[in-house]
C-alpha cells in the first residue's frame, strides 16, 4: 500500500442542496437530531476555489493565539520529516469522529489543502453510507443493484460483524457488486470486509472489461484490486465465501503525497468505537502516520461522568497506540454548541455547558498521558462563542452542526494548526 503514487489535481464536485432528514427540529429530541443531522452542503466556497484557503480574518471571535497543538511531550519530528518528504513516500492520515466528520465537509477541506500543497495519494477511504441509509460525502458514489442488510455503529445490538468504518453491509446473495466513482482517478481499490471472504469475478469500466490483479492483505480483512490504468469509475462484481460483510473501500493513486482518510458516524462517541472488535488493528491496515480523533460532542448531551469518559478515551487511545505504535495521535476537543430546552410549551436554546466539561477532560488526559491535543473549543472562541458562530451563520439550524462555511472555517484552522505544529511555515 506504500508504492509510489503520481500527483493528480483534484476535480471538485458541487452540490447546491442540503441533506435534511427532518422538517421541524423543535418536535424532535436531541439524540434524534445528532444521529440524523441537517447537513448543509450548499454555501461556503465554490468548486473552483474550494482548494483555496479560507479567509479567517472576517471572524474576529476566533482565537488565533489558541489555534495551536499542545504536543504534551509527544515527538512529532518523524511526522514532520515524513511530510517534508511526502514527494518520495506518501503520508497517511486517519481522522475518526462523529457526525461532524461523517459529512466530510471540514475534513474534505483539510484533505484538499494538504493534497493541493503536498500532492495527492488518492481519495482514500470511502464508505457506503448511502447504501446503509444515511448521509454521505458528495465527492464519491457507491452504487449497487444488489440487496443488502445494513448495520450502523450506534445500534444497541449488531446481528452481523461491525466494521471499523461504523458501517456493515451484508449482501442478500452470494453474488453481488458495486459501481464506484470518485472525483479523482484511482489505480487501486481496496475492499475492507469481515465475516466471509469476497472474491472478484469481473471488473468493468463502462461496458469494457478490465484486466485486473487481485490480492489479499497480509492481515485478513483487505482485498486489493489493481487496475491497468487510472479510472474514475469502475464496476466490480464479487462473490462471497461465507456470509461476508463489507465495511468500506479505499481508492488509491500510485502517486506520492497525502492520503487523508475520514471515518465518521452520526451519534458516535468514544465508547462506540471501543465496541468494535479489533478496531485498532483495522485502523492499522490504513498504515497511518497521524491519527486524529474528534469526539466528545455526543457525550455532552447525556449524563457526563468524567471518570467513565476518561476510561473510554484511554481505551481507544491505547488500542490505537498498540496497533499503530509509530503513528502520532491527536485528540481534538469539541467546540461549544447549544441544546434545546422546552418551557411552558416553548422551545429555546441555551449553551450546552457539558461541552466545557468534556473539553477539560480531554485536555487533562492529553497532558497526563503525553498525547497531543488540539483545543478546538478554545480556538473556536471558547465560552460563549456559539452565539458568535450563530450570528456569523456558521451554525446550521440545529445549533449542534455547522453550516458548510462553518465546517470550512474549522477545517482551515485545523490545517493551520497541524502545519504550525510541524514547523512547516517555510513552505507556505
Amino acid at each position: 500500500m506504500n508504492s509510489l503514487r503520481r500527483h493528480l489535481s483534484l476535480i471538485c464536485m458541487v452540490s447546491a442542496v442540503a441533506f435534511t432528514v427532518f422538517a421541524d427540529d423543535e418536535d424532535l429530541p436531541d439524540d434524534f437530531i445528532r444521529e440524523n443531522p441537517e447537513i448543509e452542503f450548499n454555501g461556503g466556497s465554490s468548486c473552483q476555489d474550494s482548494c483555496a484557503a479560507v479567509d479567517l480574518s472576517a471572524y474576529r471571535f476566533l482565537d488565533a493565539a489558541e489555534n495551536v497543538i499542545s504536543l504534551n511531550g509527544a515527538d512529532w519530528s518523524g511526522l514532520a520529516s515524513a511530510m517534508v518528504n511526502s514527494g518520495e513516500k506518501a503520508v497517511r492520515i486517519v481522522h475518526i469522529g462523529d457526525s461532524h466528520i461523517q459529512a466530510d465537509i471540514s475534513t474534505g477541506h483539510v484533505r484538499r489543502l494538504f493534497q493541493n500543497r503536498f500532492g495527492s495519494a488518492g481519495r482514500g477511504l470511502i464508505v457506503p453510507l448511502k447504501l446503509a441509509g444515511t448521509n454521505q460525502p458528495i465527492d464519491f458514489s457507491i452504487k449497487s443493484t444488489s440487496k443488502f442488510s445494513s448495520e450502523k455503529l450506534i445500534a444497541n445490538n449488531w446481528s452481523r460483524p461491525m466494521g471499523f468504518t461504523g458501517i456493515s453491509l451484508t449482501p442478500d446473495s452470494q453474488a453481488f457488486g458495486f459501481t464506484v466513482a470518485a472525483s479523482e482517478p484511482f489505480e487501486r481499490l481496496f475492499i475492507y470486509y469481515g465475516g466471509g471472504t469476497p472474491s472478484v469475478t469481473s471488473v468493468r469500466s463502462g461496458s469494457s472489461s478490465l484486466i485486473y490483479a487481485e490480492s489479499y492483505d497480509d492481515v485478513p480483512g483487505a482485498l486489493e484490486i489493481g487496475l491497468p490504468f487510472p479510472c474514475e469509475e469502475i464496476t466490480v462484481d464479487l462473490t462471497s465465501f461465507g456470509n461476508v460483510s463489507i465495511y468500506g473501500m479505499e481508492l488509491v493513486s500510485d502517486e506520492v503525497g497525502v492520503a487523508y482518510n475520514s471515518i465518521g458516524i452520526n451519534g458516535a462517541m468514544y465508547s462506540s468505537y471501543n465496541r468494535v472488535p479489533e478496531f485498532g488493528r483495522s485502523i492499522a491496515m490504513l498504515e497511518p502516520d497521524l491519527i486524529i480523533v474528534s469526539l466528545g460532542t455526543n457525550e455532552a448531551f447525556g449524563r457526563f461522568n468524567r471518570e467513565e469518559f476518561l476510561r473510554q478515551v484511554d481505551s481507544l487511545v491505547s488500542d490505537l497506540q498498540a496497533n499503530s505504535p509509530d503513528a502520532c495521535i491527536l485528540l481534538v476537543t469539541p467546540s461549544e454548541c447549544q441544546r434545546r430546552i422546552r418551557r411552558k410549551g416553548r422551545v429555546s436554546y441555551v449553551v450546552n455547558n457539558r461541552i466545557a466539561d468534556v473539553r477539560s477532560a480531554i485536555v487533562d488526559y492529553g497532558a497526563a498521558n503525553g498525547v497531543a491535543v488540539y483545543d478546538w473549543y478554545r480556538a473556536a472562541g471558547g465560552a460563549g462563542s456559539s452565539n458568535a458562530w450563530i450570528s456569523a451563520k456558521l451554525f446550521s439550524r440545529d445549533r449542534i452542526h455547522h453550516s458548510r462555511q462553518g465546517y470550512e472555517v474549522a477545517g482551515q484552522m485545523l490545517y493551520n494548526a497541524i502545519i504550525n505544529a510541524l514547523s512547516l511555515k517555510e513552505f507556505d
Side-chain angles (χ1 to χ4, degrees):
M1 298 173 68
N2 280 325
S3 58
L4 293 180
R5 303 157 193 206
R6 153 177 74 81
H7 172 63
L8 297 169
S9 60
L10 294 173
I11 302 172
C12 304
M13 302 179 71
V14 176
S15 175
V17 298
F19 179 85
T20 308
V21 296
F22 51 88
D24 187 357
D25 63 1
E26 292 185 358
D27 297 325
L28 295 169
D30 285 332
D31 57 351
F32 182 90
I33 295 171
R34 294 194 313 277
E35 295 171 14
N36 301 272
E38 182 180 77
I39 301 296
E40 301 172 0
F41 287 108
N42 56 313
S45 61
S46 65
C47 175
Q48 66 186 56
D49 63 3
S50 60
C51 294
V54 174
D55 182 7
L56 301 175
S57 63
Y59 310 110
R60 296 184 179 181
F61 49 85
L62 300 174
D63 194 336
E66 294 288 347
N67 196 51
V68 296
I69 291 173
S70 299
L71 292 179
N72 293 320
D75 183 3
W76 278 29
S77 60
L79 178 61
S81 177
M83 196 67 72
V84 170
N85 294 293
S86 59
E88 300 174 7
K89 180 181 179 183
V91 175
R92 304 177 64 80
I93 301 172
V94 177
H95 198 146
I96 302 164
D98 48 28
S99 54
H100 294 302
I101 306 303
Q102 178 172 330
D104 194 49
I105 301 175
S106 64
T107 46
H109 187 69
V110 180
R111 180 184 302 111
R112 289 188 292 272
L113 290 169
F114 269 114
Q115 294 183 337
N116 196 44
R117 175 167 168 177
F118 297 102
S120 174
R123 171 54 177 83
L125 187 68
I126 61 174
V127 183
L129 295 159
K130 191 172 183 179
L131 289 177
T134 185
N135 59 294
Q136 180 173 291
I138 62 174
D139 67 335
F140 70 84
S141 69
I142 304 174
K143 299 179 181 179
S144 180
T145 58
S146 306
K147 301 294 183 181
F148 300 89
S149 57
S150 64
E151 298 279 1
K152 297 186 184 70
L153 180 70
I154 60 171
N156 290 328
N157 298 293
W158 304 319
S159 60
R160 292 290 301 150
M162 176 50 59
F164 69 100
T165 63
I167 292 295
S168 179
L169 287 183
T170 302
D172 291 350
S173 60
Q174 187 176 12
F176 62 100
F178 299 97
T179 296
V180 179
S183 59
E184 178 179 0
F186 53 95
E187 290 153 308
R188 285 183 288 151
L189 169 71
F190 288 82
I191 298 177
Y192 296 106
Y193 63 91
T197 303
S199 179
V200 181
T201 57
S202 70
V203 178
R204 289 171 283 127
S205 177
S207 59
S208 302
S209 296
L210 298 180
I211 298 173
Y212 62 90
E214 177 183 6
S215 62
Y216 293 87
D217 199 82
D218 293 337
V219 180
L223 165 62
E224 179 182 358
I225 301 171
L227 304 175
F229 50 80
C231 297
E232 292 184 3
E233 178 176 325
I234 63 170
T235 297
V236 180
D237 296 312
L238 303 133
T239 187
S240 62
F241 299 96
N243 203 7
V244 68
S245 294
I246 303 299
Y247 303 148
M249 304 166 191
E250 185 181 7
L251 307 182
V252 178
S253 164
D254 284 338
E255 284 303 320
V256 288
V258 173
Y260 198 105
N261 301 301
S262 63
I263 299 170
I265 292 294
N266 299 338
M269 299 183 284
Y270 278 92
S271 60
S272 307
Y273 291 105
N274 285 331
R275 293 174 57 208
V276 178
E278 298 188 308
F279 180 74
R281 183 197 70 82
S282 298
I283 294 297
M285 290 193 296
L286 299 173
E287 300 177 352
D289 296 289
L290 170 64
I291 302 173
I292 306 172
V293 181
S294 296
L295 292 165
T297 297
N298 292 298
E299 285 90 336
F301 278 87
R303 292 182 178 179
F304 180 69
N305 182 302
R306 179 184 170 94
E307 183 178 346
E308 172 59 19
F309 176 73
L310 289 172
R311 189 184 73 80
Q312 295 291 344
V313 173
D314 185 63
S315 179
L316 184 61
V317 170
S318 297
D319 187 25
L320 295 171
Q321 288 176 329
N323 286 277
S324 299
D326 296 327
C328 297
I329 295 179
L330 176 63
L331 303 182
V332 180
T333 66
S335 63
E336 185 181 88
C337 63
Q338 300 190 1
R339 61 183 179 87
R340 299 174 310 119
I341 59 173
R342 184 183 293 274
R343 292 175 180 169
K344 297 181 179 180
R346 299 184 63 182
V347 172
S348 60
Y349 292 85
V350 297
V351 170
N352 184 349
N353 291 320
R354 294 194 191 100
I355 289 286
D357 297 331
V358 171
R359 173 259 167 197
S360 175
I362 294 174
V363 169
D364 290 348
Y365 176 86
N369 293 275
V371 178
V373 172
Y374 174 53
D375 195 352
W376 171 228
Y377 178 90
R378 287 279 182 86
S385 61
S386 58
N387 285 321
W389 277 65
I390 291 167
S391 296
K393 298 182 179 179
L394 300 181
F395 259 111
S396 67
R397 187 166 59 98
D398 61 28
R399 304 193 182 193
I400 299 172
H401 302 91
H402 300 305
S403 64
R404 181 181 183 90
Q405 187 177 5
Y407 279 124
E408 289 181 351
V409 167
Q412 184 68 53
M413 293 188 72
L414 173 60
Y415 171 81
N416 291 351
I418 294 174
I419 291 296
N420 290 336
L422 298 175
S423 299
L424 299 177
K425 291 182 181 179
E426 64 269 24
F427 291 90
D428 290 326

